[in-house]
Amino acid sequence: MVIDLTTLPSDRVPVAADIPSAAVDVPADDFAVVGGAHFEGDVERGSGETYHLRGQLTAQLSLPCARCAEPFDLPVDVPVDLRFVPATAEKASSRPSPSSSDDDDDDDGRQMAEDDPSIVLYDEPRIDLAQVAREQFYLAVPMKPLCRPDCQGLCPHCGTNRNTGTCTCENQWEDPRLAG
């Protein structure tokens, strides 16, 4: 779903949208959105051409476990709080004024936007909720996703999933530097 910011009927508009999993468009190796996503929130017009998107994004992601490589479902329920600022205004504010010195980065708007992950620069006055969902899902996926906290992983010798079976491999490590 795309929200056209030029046609907002008032300063604050409620948004409820179902985002199909095909619209999120992520590589199959990363994760899959099971059954689509749902966004519930609002868009608020700020000063000038800035807009504030607030709400809650929920979905079910299917991704592989980092230890045993088995797919599992991860429920995602994340708050969304983003400010949309026109890129042209950002470029104008990032130009140093003639009276400012070259090493003064405190007033540089571009530097502030690069450091603030809640600011999104836009070229066209619209918000693509599928793109927002994709970004929020990547941020919500843990660095090492585990199917369960006590996942045993795979045997490094034979590849058996230790959660579902056992193997007879010897898992004793000998330091090769001390071999005779």
Side-chain angles (χ1 to χ4, degrees), residues 18-28 30-38 57-63 72-74 76 130 133-138 141:
D18 289 322
I19 305 164
S21 52
V24 177
D25 190 33
V26 293
D30 293 346
F31 57 85
V33 181
V34 179
H38 181 73
L57 182 66
T58 57
Q60 190 85 5
L61 304 181
S62 175
L63 60 156
F72 71 99
D73 289 342
L74 176 73
V76 174
R134 179 176 35 255
E135 177 183 293
Q136 295 302 315
F137 292 155
Y138 272 112
V141 171

Side-chain angles (χ1 to χ4, degrees), residues 15-180:
V15 176
D18 289 322
I19 305 164
S21 52
V24 177
D25 190 33
V26 293
D29 294 343
D30 293 346
F31 57 85
V33 181
V34 179
H38 181 73
F39 178 79
E40 186 89 28
D42 57 33
V43 177
E44 182 179 1
R45 182 176 290 143
S47 62
E49 295 178 351
T50 63
Y51 297 90
H52 202 146
L53 178 70
R54 291 186 196 114
Q56 200 72 18
L57 182 66
T58 57
Q60 190 85 5
L61 304 181
S62 175
L63 60 156
C65 178
R67 289 186 187 157
C68 67
E70 292 291 324
F72 71 99
D73 289 342
L74 176 73
V76 174
D77 189 7
V78 293
V80 176
D81 189 7
L82 299 172
R83 288 183 295 158
F84 288 81
V85 179
T88 55
E90 188 64 28
K91 290 177 186 174
S93 70
S94 68
R95 289 188 197 125
S97 62
S99 63
S100 68
S101 64
D102 289 338
D103 57 322
D104 183 19
D105 283 0
D106 292 338
D107 295 331
D108 190 5
R110 182 178 40 83
Q111 183 68 26
M112 182 181 70
E114 290 174 1
D115 293 343
D116 191 357
S118 68
I119 294 179
V120 178
L121 301 178
Y122 68 85
D123 292 323
E124 296 178 21
R126 60 189 181 113
I127 298 174
D128 185 3
L129 286 179
Q131 182 178 356
V132 170
R134 179 176 35 255
E135 177 183 293
Q136 295 302 315
F137 292 155
Y138 272 112
L139 292 172
V141 171
M143 190 177 293
K144 285 186 115 179
L146 298 177
C147 58
R148 60 183 201 219
D150 63 339
C151 178
Q152 299 295 312
L154 302 175
C155 174
H157 302 290
C158 67
T160 301
N161 186 344
R162 292 180 175 166
N163 296 320
T164 59
T166 59
C167 63
T168 58
C169 298
E170 192 164 319
N171 292 324
Q172 209 169 19
W173 182 75
E174 295 180 18
D175 192 346
R177 298 172 292 180
L178 300 176

